[in-house]
Amino acid sequence: MMPELRQDYATKEWVIIATERAKRPHELVKGRSDPLPLPDHDPHCPFCPGNEHLTPGELFALRDGASPTGQWRVRVVPNKFPALVPDGRPQRSRRGLYLRMDGIGQHEVVIETPEHNKTLALMTVNKWQMSCGRIGHAIKPSMRTPPTNWC
């Protein structure tokens, strides 16, 4: 089923309805109050360095040095379970109380650091600033395309 955008009747805000995302792995693991610490490397994690083959094709990467095979610092890949799809009809229609349209757009994953076991909250200020700067650089190309106002 194609994702769709629906306008909230009360607030007039648009929300994404994407039932296909329910197929994501590890969906809402229950029974743990404290998460386990993450290892430095997990051979099954698609976001760890060395496991790039576990993700869809890379859209963008910032790497050490000029070599295209250098160690990545930021990677952008398509989401395996996207909330939006790139093709569809950008036209509104009414379904019951809802104003709706196809959920068209891009849904990408920005892997902000190769340090799998660290979140931004656990990084030094210097590493945090570097990572945020890299993220900004990574998303700039997608922002060059002017948005289409369908809503």
Side-chain angles (χ1 to χ4, degrees):
M1 182 175 178
M2 175 177 268
E4 69 179 29
L5 297 171
R6 289 186 192 165
Q7 190 177 47
D8 184 293
Y9 186 76
T11 66
K12 305 296 185 211
E13 293 178 331
W14 288 87
V15 296
I16 299 172
I17 308 297
T19 57
E20 289 295 305
R21 286 185 53 81
K23 296 178 181 176
R24 292 178 295 177
H26 316 296
E27 190 65 23
L28 300 174
V29 177
K30 294 183 181 182
R32 296 204 62 87
S33 58
D34 294 324
L36 293 173
L38 294 173
D40 288 337
H41 183 268
D42 179 346
H44 305 291
C45 175
F47 306 129
C48 279
N51 295 345
E52 291 81 4
H53 65 282
L54 298 176
T55 65
E58 188 174 273
L59 300 172
F60 179 83
L62 289 175
R63 300 184 184 284
D64 288 339
S67 168
T69 58
Q71 172 62 46
W72 60 269
R73 293 292 158 209
V74 173
R75 289 183 76 224
V76 180
V77 298
N79 194 310
K80 281 185 171 181
F81 303 94
L84 301 169
V85 295
D87 300 313
R89 295 181 333 265
Q91 57 192 35
R92 297 182 207 184
S93 63
R94 183 146 315 267
R95 184 179 295 156
L97 291 175
Y98 297 105
L99 189 57
R100 57 124 355 247
M101 63 184 180
D102 290 344
I104 302 169
Q106 300 296 318
H107 189 175
E108 298 163 353
V109 176
V110 177
I111 308 164
E112 74 273 1
T113 176
E115 295 180 80
H116 173 85
N117 58 340
K118 293 193 177 158
T119 65
L120 291 176
L122 297 176
M123 290 181 186
T124 65
V125 171
N126 185 43
K127 283 199 176 193
W128 189 87
Q129 288 172 327
M130 287 174 45
S131 185
C132 288
R134 291 182 189 124
I135 292 168
H137 187 75
I139 64 173
K140 263 187 185 173
S142 65
M143 295 180 72
R144 287 189 188 120
T145 305
T148 303
N149 187 359
W150 294 329
C151 298

